[in-house]
Amino acid sequence: MSLEILGISVLWIFLYGYLIIASIDFGAGFFAFYGKISKRDHLINNLISRYLSPVWEVTNVFFVFFFVGLVGFFPDAAYYYGTALLLPGSVSLVLLVIRGSFYAFGNYGSKENSFYLFLYGATGLLIPAALSTALTISEGGFLKEKGSGVEFLAKELFTSPYSWSVVLLAIVSVLFISAAFLTYYADRAGDMPARDVLRKFTLFWSPPTILASFLVFASLHAHNPGHFSKAIQLWWMFGLSLLFFLIASYLILKKKNFGTAFIAVMLQFFFAFFGYGASHLPYILQPFVTVHESITNPTMGTALVVVFIAGLLLLIPSLLLLMKLFLFDADYVKGKK
Amino acid sequence: MELDNVMLSRMLTSMTLAFHIIFATIGVGIPVMISIAEFVGIKKNNNHFLLLARRWARGFTITVAVGVVTGTCIGLQLSMLWPSFMKVAGQVISLPLFMETFAFFFEAIFLGIYLYTWDRFKNKWLHWLLTIPVMIGSSASALFITTVNAFMNTPQGFELKNGKAVNIDPIAAMLNPSTPSKVFHVLTSSYMTSAVLLAAITSFAILRGKRSIYYRSALRLTMICSLVFSLGTALAGDVSAKFLAEVQPEKLAAAEWHFETESNADLILFGTIDENNQIHHAIRLPGMLSFLAGSSFDKKVIGLDDFPKDETPPLWIHYMFDLMVAIGSFVIVLSLVYLIAWRAKKFSEWFKPILWGIAAAGPLSVLAIEFGWIYAEVGRQPWILRGYMKVADAATTGQGVGLTFIIFAILYFILAILTCVVLVRMFKNKPAEAELEKRFNH
Ligand code: HDD
Ligand code: HEM
Ligand code: HEM
């Protein structure tokens, strides 16, 4: 495998990791807030907080990892994105800052503050919307090269149907992934009232997820026919994604195997996300940056890969320990520890 | 002064870093203090120290959160504000940035475990063991990011051909000449600041009338640590000054208002300078600059006149340097006086002026960190990559830097206030005595 494909695969895997665990986190924020205003917080909010408290910082690191890795493996991509995305990037940053700090303030500082909870819930939906525009921009048509730099065409972005369909997909996916995971977590905790509320959330968000996916496909066809036809060549990946979606929804509907159901959700997004990524290649940012031209020098690339492998050897056992203590320890999940 | 993109980018970078560095410093030092307190508590089977570790850890969750989010800001802003710099330097120096992320990751995982497993292990030492990966993770992230900063001061490990970096050696770039002294000084000063800050909080509580054994134990422990770490900081600062004299003489010369290369050079403390570079009202220590730079009065110290005018840093960094050193010396003397007062039993260790001194030393140490970084960063001017690229050529050409600056200024302002409010409330609502009673005596 060439260095650039290896590099982009590493980054894509991390982005996928972020997609899953950040979705759980973002959606949980929304459900916690929704639970409060619909007076069901006594049912679900404890459960959500038991899961989130020990892991929120880990979530953020996934994101940091992605953009540091992007600068490392593909410095040119950082140049284009950096120049163009100052304002939209800063908006995402401000939202991330509000979310992270207010989570800590609310959770460790003053309990039961509805305003903190509101910010936490609202940013949970706004951040995926804001971050997903980076993927939209990568499709091309929203940046213009001029003189000494690149210019961001904000108006085009805000009026593009493709851009809005991606935002929609991001939001409903977050809610679906999160609800599916929390249903499983509640089931493990033996917390039936919470499980039933969350299961209903999952079922509620399941059809919109698949509708939004089709919408994205349709608008991609209009916006970037080249990418669309490459995606069609990888039809089997999207087919597998659909299949796992059906399995997950079926299991949750039938109230069984919530663990398997969540794995199916993960696979659903895995195939869709990698199908999307693979058909996007060789471009990182159309038409300015391809993986082949922007890849860093081979010495640095090799060094990064070596560090990456060494890092994984260190992290995987640690992550397993974290999961063993907080996710798979029945007593902790049930609130007895 | 024109508010162009370069100026605005500098202002925004400075603001984010100046804010992040407070929480970063605390993030590196507090885990060490927590570890020490828990160790002493288990070893001596003393609940006061265990509670100390526990309460510090609880406050730490807030400062870590702010450290993480502001760090994410500076990480993204580097690419957004200095894209040309990152495009070139990214080829050479992304390795430590990448490694830093792993260090964070490692720390984040074990910090999560540490905070939520206080009563979960039968063997208390198992819980203490968790502080080790946390300390390794946070100190390692400081180490890696400091190699990046060191690289900007003394770049090596590449050649620049037609604006592109070639012949790259990432390891040599990390192990550049500036790395050892900088890492040493950054680490010791972080430990020192955290110890002094905790001592200051304790001292302030005592001044407000809290006199239980809990506070006395806390003050003794933190003051011993303050002495050790401030001595280490001064030693490391001395190493840094000797390093500068050898490798980056214009920075030291600007800080010392030293214009002509000479041996037996005088050390100038404070004072003012006029437009003809005449120095007034300063304290002059004959020969001391040579001594500081090379441990000998005959050491020749290179002066600013050896450099082109447009490649020397601004002269006001003199005050930054002097204030940093003054604060460092103040903390050393203060902790010595306190420990003597305690040991000799002649004076009461509750002696008010000493307590007020300690309470002031906390904020002062944070200021010393800020002064130190401003000195180190502005002292590198006009270069962003010393000898290769100037700050003026590296800034973004994008629109909206000014607006972004305003947004972040408001954001940090709110964060700063809320952090203080939340921390104060957290400890007010749960006084130590009540918690001690509840946790250990039922
Ligand atoms: C508590 C904070 C603190 C204290 C008391 C001191 N320093 Fe410091 N100093 C720092 C915190 C710091 C710092 C924030 O860590 C810096 C900024 C950049 C760096 O590498 O370390 C720094 C930089 C710095 C540099 C520039 C290094 C470089 O750019 O490569 C020198 C020469 C010194 N210091 C020397 C001293 C001396 C002789 C001190 C005598 C006691 C001293 N510092 C106390
Ligand atoms: C790749 C990394 C870095 C880049 C691109 C960078 C760039 C800059 C630039 C351009 C400035 C403005 C200088 C000026 O005011 O004229 C600045 C200031 C500053 N930097 Fe760095 N720097 C980096 C690393 C660091 C690190 C690791 C630290 C430590 C926390 C740091 C601390 C500071 C501080 C405190 C200032 C404020 C100085 C002032 O007030 O002017 N920098 N940085
Ligand atoms: C250019 C300068 C810097 C950059 C780009 C940077 C980047 C970051 C990032 C991305 C984070 C968030 C990591 C996470 O998500 O957990 C962070 C947090 C942190 N940084 Fe910085 N940093 C800089 C300067 C420094 C310096 C000089 C130090 C130490 C002296 C430092 C120590 C820390 C610490 C301790 C945290 C808190 C993380 C934790 O406790 O888990 N940083 N920084």
Side-chain angles (χ1 to χ4, degrees), chain A residues 276-287:
Chain A
Y276 169 82
S279 57
H280 199 293
L281 287 177
Y283 290 107
I284 294 181
L285 177 57
Q286 289 202 30

Side-chain angles (χ1 to χ4, degrees), chain A residues 35-106:
Chain A
K36 180 118 187 157
I37 54 172
S38 64
K39 305 256 180 308
R40 277 183 277 187
D41 46 335
H42 57 286
L43 289 179
I44 54 175
N45 284 19
N46 247 339
L47 183 95
I48 290 176
S49 144
R50 288 196 78 69
Y51 163 73
L52 278 185
S53 304
V55 302
W56 79 268
E57 208 196 325
V58 175
T59 313
N60 194 59
V61 186
F62 266 94
F63 177 60
V64 173
F65 203 104
F66 174 74
F67 72 71
V68 170
L70 188 68
V71 176
F73 279 109
F74 303 101
D76 284 5
Y79 174 77
Y80 277 94
Y81 268 115
T83 314
L85 291 188
L86 180 62
L87 275 175
S90 298
V91 171
S92 311
L93 258 183
V94 169
L95 293 171
L96 275 171
V97 168
I98 293 177
R99 181 180 182 79
S101 48
F102 280 71
Y103 176 70
F105 293 163

